[in-house]
Coordinates of all heavy atoms in Angstrom, one line a residue:
Chain A
A33 N -19.6 -11.0 -1.7 CA -19.1 -12.2 -0.8 C -19.2 -11.9 0.6 O -19.4 -12.8 1.4 CB -17.5 -12.2 -1.3
W44 N -20.7 -20.6 -3.9 CA -21.8 -20.0 -4.8 C -21.3 -20.2 -6.1 O -21.6 -19.4 -7.0 CB -22.1 -18.6 -4.5 CG -20.8 -17.7 -4.2 CD1 -20.1 -17.2 -5.2 CD2 -20.2 -17.4 -3.0 NE1 -19.0 -16.4 -4.7 CE2 -19.1 -16.5 -3.3 CE3 -20.5 -17.6 -1.6 CZ2 -18.3 -16.0 -2.3 CZ3 -19.8 -17.1 -0.7 CH2 -18.7 -16.2 -0.9
G55 N -16.0 -21.0 -3.4 CA -16.4 -19.7 -3.0 C -15.2 -18.8 -3.0 O -14.3 -18.9 -4.0
V56 N -15.0 -18.0 -1.9 CA -13.9 -17.1 -1.8 C -12.6 -17.9 -1.6 O -12.6 -18.8 -0.8 CB -14.1 -16.1 -0.6 CG1 -12.7 -15.5 -0.2 CG2 -15.1 -15.1 -0.9
F57 N -11.5 -17.4 -2.3 CA -10.2 -18.2 -2.0 C -9.1 -17.0 -1.7 O -8.8 -16.8 -0.5 CB -9.7 -19.1 -3.1 CG -8.5 -19.8 -2.7 CD1 -8.5 -20.7 -1.7 CD2 -7.3 -19.7 -3.4 CE1 -7.3 -21.4 -1.3 CE2 -6.1 -20.3 -3.1 CZ -6.3 -21.2 -2.0
C58 N -8.8 -16.3 -2.7 CA -7.9 -15.3 -2.5 C -8.4 -14.0 -1.8 O -7.6 -13.3 -1.1 CB -7.2 -14.8 -3.8 SG -8.2 -13.8 -4.8
G59 N -9.6 -13.7 -1.9 CA -10.3 -12.5 -1.3 C -9.9 -11.2 -1.8 O -10.1 -10.1 -1.3
I60 N -9.0 -11.1 -2.8 CA -8.5 -9.8 -3.3 C -8.6 -9.7 -4.9 O -7.9 -8.9 -5.5 CB -7.1 -9.5 -3.0 CG1 -6.1 -10.6 -3.4 CG2 -7.0 -9.3 -1.6 CD1 -4.6 -10.2 -3.2
G61 N -9.5 -10.5 -5.5 CA -9.7 -10.4 -7.0 C -8.7 -11.1 -7.9 O -8.8 -10.8 -9.1
V62 N -7.9 -11.9 -7.3 CA -6.9 -12.5 -8.2 C -7.3 -13.9 -8.7 O -7.0 -14.3 -9.9 CB -5.5 -12.6 -7.6 CG1 -4.4 -13.3 -8.2 CG2 -5.1 -11.2 -7.1
C63 N -7.9 -14.7 -8.0 CA -8.1 -16.2 -8.1 C -9.2 -16.6 -9.0 O -9.2 -17.6 -9.7 CB -8.1 -16.9 -6.8 SG -9.7 -16.7 -5.9
F64 N -10.3 -15.7 -9.0 CA -11.5 -16.0 -9.9 C -12.2 -17.2 -9.5 O -13.1 -17.7 -10.1 CB -11.3 -16.1 -11.3 CG -10.8 -14.8 -11.9 CD1 -9.5 -14.4 -11.7 CD2 -11.8 -14.1 -12.7 CE1 -9.1 -13.2 -12.4 CE2 -11.3 -12.7 -13.2 CZ -10.1 -12.4 -13.1
D65 N -12.1 -17.7 -8.1 CA -12.8 -18.8 -7.6 C -14.2 -18.3 -7.2 O -15.1 -19.1 -7.1 CB -12.1 -19.4 -6.4 CG -11.5 -20.7 -6.7 OD1 -11.8 -21.3 -7.8 OD2 -10.8 -21.3 -5.9
C66 N -14.4 -17.0 -6.9 CA -15.6 -16.6 -6.1 C -16.6 -16.1 -7.3 O -17.6 -15.5 -7.0 CB -15.2 -15.5 -5.2 SG -14.7 -13.9 -6.1
L67 N -16.4 -16.5 -8.5 CA -17.4 -16.1 -9.5 C -18.9 -16.5 -9.2 O -19.1 -17.6 -8.6 CB -17.0 -16.7 -10.9 CG -15.6 -16.3 -11.4 CD1 -15.4 -17.0 -12.8 CD2 -15.5 -14.8 -11.6
Q76 N -19.1 -12.7 -12.3 CA -18.8 -11.5 -11.5 C -18.0 -12.0 -10.2 O -18.3 -13.0 -9.6 CB -20.1 -10.8 -10.9 CG -21.0 -10.5 -12.0 CD -20.5 -9.5 -12.9 OE1 -20.0 -8.3 -12.5 NE2 -20.4 -9.7 -14.2
R77 N -16.9 -11.3 -10.0 CA -16.1 -11.7 -8.8 C -16.8 -11.2 -7.4 O -16.9 -10.0 -7.3 CB -14.7 -11.0 -8.8 CG -13.8 -12.0 -9.8 CD -12.5 -11.4 -10.0 NE -12.6 -10.3 -11.1 CZ -11.6 -9.6 -11.5 NH1 -10.4 -9.6 -10.9 NH2 -11.9 -8.7 -12.4
A78 N -17.3 -12.0 -6.7 CA -18.2 -11.7 -5.5 C -17.3 -10.9 -4.6 O -17.9 -10.0 -3.8 CB -18.7 -13.0 -4.9
C79 N -16.0 -11.1 -4.6 CA -15.1 -10.4 -3.6 C -14.9 -8.9 -4.0 O -14.3 -8.3 -3.2 CB -13.8 -11.1 -3.3 SG -12.7 -11.0 -4.7
L80 N -15.3 -8.6 -5.1 CA -15.0 -7.2 -5.7 C -16.4 -6.5 -5.7 O -16.5 -5.1 -5.6 CB -14.4 -7.1 -6.9 CG -13.0 -7.8 -7.0 CD1 -12.4 -7.5 -8.4 CD2 -12.0 -7.1 -6.0
Chain B
G138 N -6.3 -13.6 2.3 CA -7.7 -13.4 1.8 C -8.7 -13.3 3.0 O -9.6 -12.4 3.0
M142 N -10.8 -9.9 3.8 CA -12.3 -9.9 3.8 C -12.6 -9.3 5.3 O -13.5 -8.5 5.5 CB -12.8 -11.3 3.8 CG -12.7 -11.7 2.3 SD -13.9 -11.3 1.2 CE -15.5 -12.0 1.9
M415 N -2.5 -18.4 -9.2 CA -2.6 -19.3 -8.1 C -1.8 -20.6 -8.2 O -1.3 -21.0 -7.2 CB -4.0 -19.6 -7.9 CG -4.9 -18.5 -7.6 SD -4.5 -18.0 -5.9 CE -4.2 -16.3 -6.2
Ligands
FES2 S1 -11.8 -14.7 -4.0 FE1 -10.2 -14.7 -5.4 S2 -11.2 -13.4 -7.0 FE2 -12.6 -13.4 -5.4

Side-chain angles (χ1 to χ4, degrees):
Chain A
W44 46 81
V56 165
F57 188 62
C58 75
I60 58 168
V62 177
C63 75
F64 293 80
D65 251 349
C66 66
L67 296 179
Q76 304 298 307
R77 277 170 283 178
C79 71
L80 298 183
Chain B
M142 293 278 294
M415 289 295 123

